[in-house]
Amino acid sequence: MIMRIPALLASVLALLAVSTLPADAETAVPAGFRPASTSWTGPDTGYVLGYAPCAGTWCPALLGTADGGAHWRRLGAPPVPLPDNHNHVALTSVSSRVAYVSDGVHLRTTRDGGASWHPVGLLGAREPYYLSKIAETGGRVFAVLTSYGEGRGSTRLYSAAAGSPVLAPVAGFAVTGSITYGDLSVGGGVQVALGADYGTEAYWTSRDGVRFTRADPPCPAGSVASLANVRERQVVALCSSSPGSPQPGSTERRLRHAPQLGGAFSGNDAAPYTGITQGFGAASPTSATVAAVGGGVGFLHRTADGGRTWTTTALSERGLGLADLDFPGRGTGVVVDGQPDAAAGSAVYRTTDGGTSWRELRFGQ
C-alpha cells in the first residue's frame, strides 16, 4: 500500500529538515544582514552566507531555508572574515550537513551542519593564488586553483576523498601560461575545463569522479569555457572571448551543446555582448542564462530556445559583480548581486520560471 503525505505535512517536514540542523542560539536574521554568497541543494532548500555590522566590523552569519526563502533559520557560521581585497566569499552546500566556504585563499568545511568548521589545506599551493571553484560528488572533493607568478602562472585541479583535511594536485590536470583559468561542474557528471592564453584548452569528463576521459574542448581557441551541469543527459557550455572584446565593457559569447557527457560540442549561437561575463547556468538543454556586468549595471541574458534568441534583464545598478548563478532544479535559479560592504549593498535574486523573471529574496524571520 502506498501512503501519501498531505501537502501541509510535507511542508512542515521540509522545514524541519533545516530547523533540526545545529544552530546558534540566535535564530533571527541579524540586523543589517547583507548576503555574500548563496548555494542551493534543491529548488526550495538553500543557504545564504552573509555579513552584518558588529563592533565596528562585519561578522559572518549563515542562514538556511526549506521553503524557497519564505522563512529563514540561523545556522552556525564559518569563521571567515569579509576580505579587505573584495574577494568573493563563496559558499558551496553539498547537503544539509556538508558545506564549504572559501575567500579564494582560505578554505573551510563543515560536515555537521555548521556546528563546527575546519580548515582544509591545499598541498603545495603557494600564495599568491586564487581558489575559484570547489565541489563534492561521489565521495570526492574537487577544486580549481590558479597560481600567479612573475609573468607566468598555472591553473590545476585539486582533489581528495570527501572529509580529507588536505587537497592535493591531480597529476596531468594542469595548464601554464601568462594567463590561465579553469572551470568545474559536477551536476550529472564531472567536467573539468582548463585553459591558458586563450589558445591552450583542455577538457575532461567523468561519470564517477574517479575515471576521467580526455575529450575535445567545448570551445574553440580564443575563448574561455564556462560549464553548466548536465541537463537531461545533454551538456551546455558558454564560450567567452577575452573581456573588453569587441569593445570595452563587453564580451563576445557563443553557446555550444553536446548530446551527452563527453560528446562533441557543436553550435555557434551568439549571445548578447553587453557586460563582462560573471557566471553561467542552464535550467535545461534549451534554457540558459549568462550573468554579466557592464557600465555599473548587472545583466542577466537568457535564452529559452537553445541560443537562437535572447532576452536581457537589467538586474540593478549595483555594478560590483554578480556571483553564484545556478539553477538547482524545477525552473528555479538564484544569483547574488553586489557585495556586503559596498555602498549599494547586496541582494539575492531568485527565479521560479527558468530565468524569465527574478525577485529579490527578503531575509525576515
Side-chain angles (χ1 to χ4, degrees):
M1 183 177 77
I2 299 176
M3 298 183 62
R4 300 188 182 278
I5 300 175
L8 178 59
L9 178 58
S11 298
V12 172
L13 291 175
L15 185 59
L16 288 175
V18 168
S19 300
T20 54
L21 294 177
D24 290 339
E26 296 180 88
T27 58
V29 178
F33 176 83
R34 291 182 174 184
S37 182
T38 190
S39 182
W40 294 61
T41 57
D44 299 313
T45 304
Y47 305 87
V48 176
L49 174 65
Y51 292 83
C54 70
T57 186
W58 292 89
C59 293
L62 181 62
L63 309 178
T65 181
D67 54 15
H71 302 88
W72 296 94
R73 169 77 169 172
R74 184 95 169 260
L75 307 174
V80 178
L82 191 62
D84 293 334
N85 60 5
H86 299 296
N87 272 4
H88 176 53
V89 180
L91 169 69
T92 301
S93 297
V94 180
S95 68
S96 61
R97 299 187 64 80
V98 179
Y100 297 86
V101 170
S102 172
D103 62 1
V105 178
H106 308 96
L107 178 62
R108 289 183 174 271
T109 186
T110 180
R111 306 194 77 83
D112 54 17
S116 61
W117 290 86
H118 307 281
V120 178
L122 300 165
L123 185 66
R126 295 183 178 181
E127 295 187 46
Y129 62 77
Y130 186 76
L131 183 68
S132 59
K133 210 72 175 280
I134 180 80
E136 181 178 317
T137 186
R140 295 199 64 80
V141 186
F142 299 93
V144 175
L145 185 139
T146 296
S147 300
Y148 306 95
E150 295 184 2
R152 195 161 187 82
S154 67
T155 297
R156 61 184 64 239
L157 181 70
Y158 276 66
S159 186
S164 172
V166 178
L167 305 185
V170 181
F173 287 72
V175 293
T176 59
S178 299
I179 302 174
T180 64
Y181 37 82
D183 199 11
L184 166 69
S185 174
V186 299
V190 183
Q191 301 176 72
V192 179
L194 304 178
D197 301 323
Y198 298 95
T200 300
E201 306 295 332
Y203 176 65
W204 299 264
T205 65
S206 173
R207 297 188 181 279
D208 58 9
V210 177
R211 295 174 293 273
F212 282 83
T213 301
R214 187 85 174 247
D216 291 337
C219 299
S223 56
V224 178
S226 297
L227 305 173
N229 291 340
V230 177
R231 300 294 186 187
E232 300 172 24
R233 299 185 179 181
Q234 300 180 52
V235 189
V236 187
L238 181 72
C239 302
S240 302
S241 67
S242 60
S245 172
Q247 60 191 25
S250 69
T251 308
E252 186 176 1
R253 310 178 184 93
R254 298 192 178 276
L255 205 63
R256 290 171 64 82
H257 299 80
Q260 70 271 332
L261 186 68
F265 284 83
S266 62
N268 203 30
D269 294 305
Y273 291 179
T274 306
I276 305 301
T277 302
Q278 304 279 296
F280 173 65
S284 74
T286 57
S287 176
T289 301
V290 179
V293 171
V297 179
F299 299 98
L300 294 174
H301 306 299
R302 187 236 181 185
T303 180
D305 56 15
R308 290 189 295 274
T309 62
W310 295 79
T311 58
T312 296
T313 299
L315 202 59
S316 80
E317 295 185 0
R318 290 185 177 91
L320 291 176
L322 300 176
D324 302 335
L325 176 65
D326 187 35
F327 291 86
R330 213 174 61 213
T332 62
V334 290
V335 68
V336 176
D337 180 25
Q339 297 177 348
D341 57 347
S346 57
V348 175
Y349 288 86
R350 183 172 182 259
T351 179
T352 57
D353 53 18
T356 300
S357 59
W358 298 79
R359 69 174 182 88
E360 182 179 341
L361 291 181
R362 301 298 178 181
F363 299 100
Q365 294 192 27

